[in-house]
Amino acid sequence: MTTLAVLEQRDGVLRKISYEVVTAAQRLGGTVEAVVCGVGPVQGADQAGKYGADKIVTLTNPAFARYAPEACAQALAERAKQGGYQTVLFAASATGKDLAPRVAAKLGVAVAADITDVTTDGGDLLVTRPVYAGKALLKVKVASRPAVVSLRPNVFTPVERRKAGAAETVAVNVPAGRVTVREIKTAPAGTLDVAEAQVVISGGRGLKEPANFKVLEELARAFGGQAAVGASRAVVDMGWRPHADQVGQTGKTVSPSLYIAVGISGMIQHLAGMRTSKVIVAINKDKDAPIFKVADYGVVGDLFEIVPKLTEEIRKLHG
Amino acid sequence: MKIAVCIKRVPDSETRVKIAADGKTIDEAGVKFVMNPYDEFALEEALRRKEKAGSGEVVVVCLGPAAAQETIRTALSWGADRGVLLQADSIPADPFQTATVIAAELKGTAWDLVLFGRMAIDDYSHQVGPLVAELLGLPCVTAVSHLDIEGTKGVAEREIEGGIEVVNFSLPAVLTTDKSLNEPRLPALKGIMAAKKKPLEVKPVQAGTGTLEIVALMPPPERKEGKIVGEGAGAVGELVRLLREEAKVL
């Protein structure tokens, strides 16, 4: 049994989420073949062996300098058809959410999308997917061969399981396609996406005005590049923060190691988006706020006094 | 501009999910159903494109139960010209089957654009749009947050981790829409009255079962009871100690 783990790169560098895909793949047992589309060698792809890949294949094509949805989908679908794979695994990242359905459609199947758990039961692949933004979990049996699955970011913590992964480079002949990425406008250096950050600090109405989010940004910086600043729907709807930062049912669902909710009351649609966080801290002036019901640790009081103090303490830890 | 907007009827985002007796679906008693919020951006965009072009047609397509007629009427009240309900008792658990039914309906018409919300807030599958695009052989851009169209050339922006991808594509195309694309309108009373007279065709459909089988719908694991560490800035020291020593996340 072989699993095809689809890795992701940007600007010729493997994205860290790729190691999560390899880690999940090796949990299925059998052989793990990792594959990445690149214009040439992808920096970091050789590390995939460290997390359990038996073989690392780089598919090269001039179109792969940037994400080329149609060309990548064609190359990967052709690979998937040849290989007799049991499962094809993607990350449910922005790229993976775009790419996995294209590949699946070419294989005539659906994606078991954004899963948080995967097991095999006899010959069956069983996955768990949060639905209704995590208000419920759906257990699904995937009967297609190959099964096409995408993994929620931050759930499958990379585990080192060193294998001497053999490397192979294959030039693929596919057209560039009708959809091409002409540029990437990058966010300021060091900006992490809330869906991928290890620490998420979200603010709500309690921040009182948009400029006050700087207290959260300072706290995020104190975590030394591991933290992202999120927001509740209320403040996104008021235009204080971009939608990209919204955590909740109509925003992103996040699973960081540490989620700090600041000045957020805890509407059900927000709780849905962050309840799978490993540890939740709530800071709110209202001791009866629903957010305290899901928080592991709560501090009641004025966030403008509490957060700067917390920033100071975290800075001490991170030196 | 001839534009199809594919919408879904979903439980409102404030819904408290109760699991039905079958252990596989939600208990719909007392649940308020709405148009999927991401589909609102698709519908709004279609109406604006048609208004800008000065002519054309916006057709709303929905796979769902008979009650989804109400969801289609809402879309018509916003200004869509007509609706098609692909009526099935339930929506397939396998999005490929959903896509197959929708693609069969769309096939054969010369659409300039086929729009979807980037995902539905109930099943979170975020794939019916790109699946339909593949089945129709059309170019597809997902999670569009900004859109410019000039003739048959389009430029879309989509959010990726740490940035924005600027994407060139050609029309006709399938696009899935994200929240920042536009500000959906509020339906006016006039629109609600007009919607009652607009054509709404109901076509019974039979979706295949596919390869995804629901085994169980379960409540998420309860989080264990948390604690209030204290009040004010004075509690921060203890909070940090607990995060380090008990939760071990620092």
Side-chain angles (χ1 to χ4, degrees):
Chain A
M1 192 193 84
T2 307
T3 302
L4 188 64
V6 180
L7 314 185
E8 244 176 66
Q9 58 100 4
R10 203 184 290 172
D11 298 328
V13 181
L14 200 73
R15 298 192 69 240
K16 266 197 204 150
I17 196 162
S18 302
Y19 303 134
E20 298 178 19
V21 183
V22 175
T23 296
Q26 69 83 27
R27 260 176 52 175
L28 296 176
T31 310
V32 177
E33 186 179 313
V35 61
V36 63
C37 293
V39 73
V42 173
Q43 193 188 324
D46 54 340
Q47 300 295 307
K50 219 162 80 175
Y51 299 96
D54 297 279
K55 187 174 172 187
I56 302 144
V57 182
T58 308
L59 302 177
T60 62
N61 183 287
F64 297 160
R66 292 212 178 94
Y67 172 51
E70 295 185 343
C72 281
Q74 190 180 333
L76 290 169
E78 281 171 11
R79 185 90 198 175
K81 281 178 193 164
Q82 290 164 11
Y85 303 99
Q86 185 102 347
T87 311
V88 182
L89 286 186
F90 291 83
S93 57
T95 300
K97 282 178 180 164
D98 186 85
L99 182 59
R102 297 174 192 263
V103 174
K106 289 180 196 296
L107 301 172
V109 300
V111 185
D114 212 12
I115 67 152
T116 53
D117 196 16
V118 59
T119 54
T120 47
D121 175 22
D124 291 325
L125 191 71
L126 287 173
V127 300
T128 304
R129 318 181 39 236
V131 289
Y132 304 97
K135 291 178 200 167
L137 299 175
L138 195 62
K139 196 164 219 177
V140 179
K141 193 194 301 185
V142 189
S144 65
R145 289 295 171 271
V148 180
V149 175
S150 69
L151 312 171
R152 172 164 298 189
N154 259 348
V155 173
F156 296 86
T157 312
V159 178
E160 290 203 22
R161 225 165 264 223
R162 193 173 288 275
K163 285 184 180 172
E168 184 186 308
T169 302
V170 183
V172 289
N173 183 18
V174 287
R178 301 158 295 183
V179 179
T180 51
V181 174
R182 75 167 187 207
E183 67 169 302
I184 295 174
K185 297 183 191 170
T186 41
T191 309
L192 273 181
D193 190 85
V194 290
E196 291 191 350
Q198 282 302 307
V199 178
V200 175
I201 302 149
S202 287
R205 272 184 218 273
L207 270 291
K208 295 199 177 104
E209 57 177 286
N212 289 337
F213 269 77
K214 70 174 188 293
V215 302
L216 304 190
E217 282 157 5
E218 275 163 28
L219 175 56
R221 268 196 295 277
F223 280 96
Q226 296 174 50
V229 175
S232 70
R233 180 171 79 185
V235 300
V236 170
D237 284 350
M238 289 189 288
W240 294 9
R241 303 295 287 181
H243 176 240
D245 297 350
Q246 186 183 324
V247 173
Q249 191 161 6
T250 52
K252 287 178 179 155
T253 41
V254 301
S255 309
S257 301
L258 176 59
Y259 188 88
I260 306 178
V262 182
I264 292 178
S265 63
M267 303 279 280
I268 184 165
Q269 73 93 22
H270 183 80
L271 301 183
M274 42 68 89
R275 63 174 299 145
T276 54
S277 305
K278 286 160 200 95
V279 174
I280 297 171
V281 171
I283 298 169
N284 202 294
K285 68 176 183 337
D286 174 11
K287 68 174 179 23
D288 297 320
I291 192 75
F292 288 122
K293 294 221 162 49
V294 300
D296 299 288
Y297 304 107
V299 178
V300 179
D302 182 357
L303 70 92
F304 297 103
E305 288 169 16
I306 296 164
V307 176
K309 178 72 184 157
L310 181 58
T311 305
E312 199 183 305
E313 293 292 322
I314 299 294
R315 250 185 224 136
K316 277 187 211 160
L317 288 177
H318 285 257
Chain B
M1 278 284 207
K2 197 167 171 69
I3 306 172
V5 182
C6 303
I7 65 169
K8 186 176 185 185
R9 170 183 180 265
V10 299
D12 181 83
S13 68
E14 293 300 321
T15 303
R16 288 180 188 279
V17 168
K18 269 194 295 179
I19 292 161
D22 69 358
K24 294 181 179 183
T25 55
I26 67 161
D27 180 353
E28 295 190 358
V31 171
K32 181 187 166 203
F33 283 88
V34 296
M35 187 190 330
N36 175 42
Y38 288 99
D39 302 346
E40 294 185 354
F41 307 108
L43 178 59
E44 179 64 36
E45 195 61 25
L47 296 172
R48 289 187 190 189
R49 295 278 153 197
K50 182 193 150 185
E51 284 157 14
K52 200 174 160 202
S55 66
E57 189 183 28
V58 174
V59 181
V60 173
V61 178
C62 179
L63 169 63
Q69 287 192 44
E70 195 189 327
T71 318
I72 296 176
R73 289 282 173 211
T74 302
L76 296 176
S77 76
W78 285 29
D81 297 292
R82 61 184 175 90
V84 180
L85 173 63
L86 304 173
Q87 192 177 319
D89 291 337
S90 62
I91 293 170
D94 180 328
F96 189 77
Q97 303 308 316
T98 301
T100 303
V101 169
I102 293 174
E105 172 61 26
L106 297 175
K107 209 180 165 108
T109 303
W111 304 105
D112 295 297
L113 286 173
V114 177
L115 304 181
F116 289 82
R118 81 167 163 91
M119 66 168 200
I121 63 161
D122 54 355
D123 66 19
Y124 260 63
S125 278
H126 49 71
Q127 59 184 282
V128 175
L131 291 175
V132 166
E134 286 286 335
L135 291 169
L136 296 176
L138 292 175
C140 175
V141 186
T142 62
V144 173
S145 56
H146 185 83
L147 180 65
D148 288 313
I149 293 175
E150 210 61 66
T152 58
K153 298 255 176 273
V155 181
E157 292 187 0
R158 56 190 305 274
E159 186 215 322
I160 57 172
E161 296 82 5
I164 304 279
E165 254 175 14
V166 186
V167 182
N168 288 344
F169 67 97
S170 57
L171 273 64
V174 175
L175 306 177
T176 77
T177 57
D178 204 356
K179 185 167 178 172
S180 334
L181 182 59
N182 54 43
E183 194 67 50
R185 64 196 63 194
L186 296 169
L189 184 62
K190 200 175 136 207
I192 296 168
M193 298 309 288
K196 291 181 181 157
K197 297 195 193 95
K198 288 180 178 173
L200 196 172
E201 194 182 351
V202 178
K203 298 181 177 178
V205 293
Q206 192 70 51
T209 47
T211 55
L212 298 184
E213 184 201 329
I214 294 176
V215 177
L217 183 69
M218 304 165 290
E222 286 293 322
R223 293 194 72 94
K224 69 172 174 27
E225 190 77 16
K227 55 181 146 197
I228 300 288
V229 177
E231 290 194 18
V236 169
E238 175 64 1
L239 172 67
V240 170
R241 188 193 71 78
L242 289 166
L243 290 175
R244 288 192 73 177
E245 293 171 16
E246 191 177 85
K248 297 186 167 57
V249 288
L250 291 182

